[in-house]
Amino acid sequence: MSKLHVSAVASLDRMLRTHQADQLDPSQLRALMARPRIDTSSIFKTVTPIIEKVRTEGDAAVREYTAQFDRVQLQSVCVRIEDLPEPHLSAEVTAAFDTAFRNIKAFHEAQHTPSIEVETMPGVVCRRVSRPIGAVGIYVPGGTAVLPSTTLMLAVPAKIAGCKTIVMATPPRPDGSITPEVVYCARKAGVTHVLKAGGAQAVAAMAWGTASCPKVDKILGPGNQYVTAAKMALQNSEAMVAIDMPAGPSEVLVIADAGANPAHVAADLLSQAEHGQDSQVVLVALPGVDLNAVEAELSKQCDALPRNETARKALKHSYAIRVAGQQEAIEFSNEYAPEHLIVNVEDAESWLPALDNAGSIFLGRWTPESVGDYASGTNHVLPTFGYSRMYSGVSLDSFLKKMTVQNLTYEGLALLGPHVAKMAEIEGLDAHRRAVTMRLGLQ
């Protein structure tokens, strides 16, 4: 029996399996870091006919699938935001959303970068300029939890970027209406159209366009495995649509030292475990961490959660791992590449230069992941499943495209042209060469 297996068996009575890093060989560590397996082949088989039917039948297919999956009979599939009734919320609720809106807006407005202009040679000027993506689709989940915060996270930067069409897709309530909190955030953030559908059918409607839903150029936002599969399939189709990133179930990795409050550590782990039964939470425990105290808090706090069954199922494929010190903790975290990384240690700021792979990082004793999920200003649409090694979370740049521009004078072409002509000759592209030499009167 492997050391990894022995460790798991020894901790069957705990909510979190516990492992010792120095007792695991490299292959066992890799196995430990692997996310819960998803049968992608069966998921793609499910979403492919949905995508095709929406392409050919449009709104009728969206209605059919919404009735089948959500048990909702839609009167209208996609409407303009101004056609929805004004939501009536309490002052306390609107104050919370307004605070989040201001902070998200401030952080994303600061991400504007000026155009770049460089004269690479005399008479040769190169520039890089930004333009908004014309039409974007934002997906706001609504299955097991209502997520108006996601509306703000996606629509606010889209509006700042200057996107003219912002289609929000979100599952309807049983009566076919949209959750008032989502409508409030959509209105405030600049959404132009609301598609009353979720799942693969909503993604397909935005990608292909229907009689009521504008076709978009890019689709962004989190979703379940069917939403993710639809996004990935459509970006490689004739729909000509881009996506933000591949994503999977939500996850958090918490690094804690002996000074971390066990109640806070447990609360941070549960804040992601309650997202879904396929979520994964990982505790990297530095020397001195009282795992028994963390376990006791996990049990007590989980029992008090409305979504405790969901959290318990997520904890079944989650774990804690003891490490020898800071370096081992950083190496494990960088290799795991979490969506959310909480560094609950003394002098957490000093850890940042060595942290390379994470969607979003939360430093110090007083920075729960929840603040980033809602209102600190950073974006909560992040790469999961280890994709933070090569993908960034949603930002202002997600809604922009970059164009390069060059402008040469005759003198500039006279300096640069002979080199271009020679390179074209070497590559056997004579028309390229002649486009230069004819201008310079060289033939």
Side-chain angles (χ1 to χ4, degrees), residues 158-172:
K159 185 68 173 177
I160 293 169
C163 302
K164 289 183 172 60
T165 300
I166 305 173
V167 181
M168 178 185 73
T170 193

Side-chain angles (χ1 to χ4, degrees), residues 252-255 264 268 271 340-345 348-349 360-373 376 378:
V252 67
L253 186 147
V254 178
I255 300 175
H264 297 172
D268 287 336
S271 72
H340 304 98
L341 171 59
I342 297 174
V343 187
N344 189 343
V345 302
E349 192 69 40
S360 191
I361 300 174
F362 304 80
L363 296 175
R365 308 289 192 206
W366 307 107
T367 317
E369 183 272 333
S370 310
V371 297
D373 259 359
S376 66
T378 62

Side-chain angles (χ1 to χ4, degrees), residues 238-253:
E238 295 175 359
M240 288 289 290
V241 68
I243 67 170
D244 46 0
M245 68 193 87
S250 188
E251 59 194 25
V252 67
L253 186 147

Side-chain angles (χ1 to χ4, degrees), residues 177-216:
S177 66
I178 302 300
T179 305
E181 292 83 357
V182 171
V183 175
Y184 178 84
C185 291
R187 282 177 175 270
K188 191 170 189 67
V191 166
T192 60
H193 297 74
V194 177
L195 173 61
K196 302 178 189 178
Q201 65 269 28
V203 177
M206 293 189 290
W208 297 115
T210 70
S212 68
C213 180
K215 183 199 171 351
V216 302

Side-chain angles (χ1 to χ4, degrees), residues 40-117:
T40 55
S41 60
S42 67
I43 293 169
F44 276 102
K45 285 180 182 177
T46 300
V47 303
T48 299
I50 295 174
I51 290 170
E52 182 59 22
K53 189 162 188 174
V54 173
R55 184 183 74 83
T56 57
E57 299 182 19
D59 287 339
V62 176
R63 283 193 176 93
E64 178 183 331
Y65 287 122
T66 302
Q68 177 182 339
F69 298 131
D70 299 321
R71 302 185 186 280
V72 177
Q73 300 294 331
L74 291 178
Q75 299 302 311
S76 56
V77 173
C78 186
V79 299
R80 293 193 67 86
I81 187 72
E82 59 266 25
D83 294 334
L84 293 176
E86 187 79 34
H88 298 287
L89 306 175
S90 71
E92 185 179 17
V93 169
T94 58
F97 288 132
D98 291 351
T99 298
F101 172 84
R102 287 192 298 271
N103 289 349
I104 295 166
K105 184 171 182 283
F107 185 69
H108 288 77
E109 280 182 337
Q111 295 172 26
H112 272 299
T113 55
S115 297
I116 298 168
E117 181 172 315

Side-chain angles (χ1 to χ4, degrees), residues 5-6 9 50 69 105 116 163 222 278 290 298 317 351 372 383 435:
H5 196 184
V6 168
V9 170
I50 295 174
F69 298 131
K105 184 171 182 283
I116 298 168
C163 302
D278 52 358
D290 186 347
L298 274 174
H317 45 252
W351 287 53

Side-chain angles (χ1 to χ4, degrees), residues 91-342:
E92 185 179 17
V93 169
T94 58
F97 288 132
D98 291 351
T99 298
F101 172 84
R102 287 192 298 271
N103 289 349
I104 295 166
K105 184 171 182 283
F107 185 69
H108 288 77
E109 280 182 337
Q111 295 172 26
H112 272 299
T113 55
S115 297
I116 298 168
E117 181 172 315
V118 178
E119 188 174 28
T120 56
M121 297 175 68
V124 180
V125 176
C126 298
R127 283 177 283 168
R128 189 169 187 250
V129 299
S130 299
R131 296 290 185 271
I133 296 172
V136 296
I138 62 174
Y139 188 88
V140 177
T144 61
V146 178
L147 298 175
S149 57
T150 300
T151 308
L152 294 175
M153 294 290 174
L154 294 168
V156 170
K159 185 68 173 177
I160 293 169
C163 302
K164 289 183 172 60
T165 300
I166 305 173
V167 181
M168 178 185 73
T170 193
R173 297 192 294 181
D175 65 356
S177 66
I178 302 300
T179 305
E181 292 83 357
V182 171
V183 175
Y184 178 84
C185 291
R187 282 177 175 270
K188 191 170 189 67
V191 166
T192 60
H193 297 74
V194 177
L195 173 61
K196 302 178 189 178
Q201 65 269 28
V203 177
M206 293 189 290
W208 297 115
T210 70
S212 68
C213 180
K215 183 199 171 351
V216 302
D217 302 309
K218 187 172 184 178
I219 299 173
L220 307 94
N224 63 21
Q225 54 199 8
Y226 298 100
V227 170
T228 299
K231 287 168 65 180
M232 294 178 72
L234 282 157
Q235 77 165 338
N236 294 314
S237 75
E238 295 175 359
M240 288 289 290
V241 68
I243 67 170
D244 46 0
M245 68 193 87
S250 188
E251 59 194 25
V252 67
L253 186 147
V254 178
I255 300 175
D257 66 7
N261 186 323
H264 297 172
V265 173
D268 287 336
L269 294 170
L270 289 170
S271 72
Q272 286 305 297
E274 73 172 354
H275 262 298
Q277 62 186 40
D278 52 358
S279 297
Q280 186 174 61
V281 302
V282 176
L283 171 60
V284 177
L286 290 158
V289 171
D290 186 347
L291 285 182
N292 289 327
V294 174
E295 280 282 338
E297 284 291 338
L298 274 174
S299 181
K300 180 176 73 173
Q301 293 182 36
C302 192
D303 285 343
L305 292 175
R307 296 168 62 86
N308 67 83
E309 286 302 317
T310 297
R312 286 185 183 279
K313 288 177 181 177
L315 289 173
K316 286 182 180 179
H317 45 252
S318 301
Y319 58 89
I321 181 167
R322 289 190 178 277
V323 295
Q326 178 176 346
Q327 187 58 37
E328 198 168 51
I330 289 171
E331 288 174 0
F332 185 91
S333 177
N334 282 340
E335 185 62 29
Y336 183 85
E339 176 190 18
H340 304 98
L341 171 59
I342 297 174

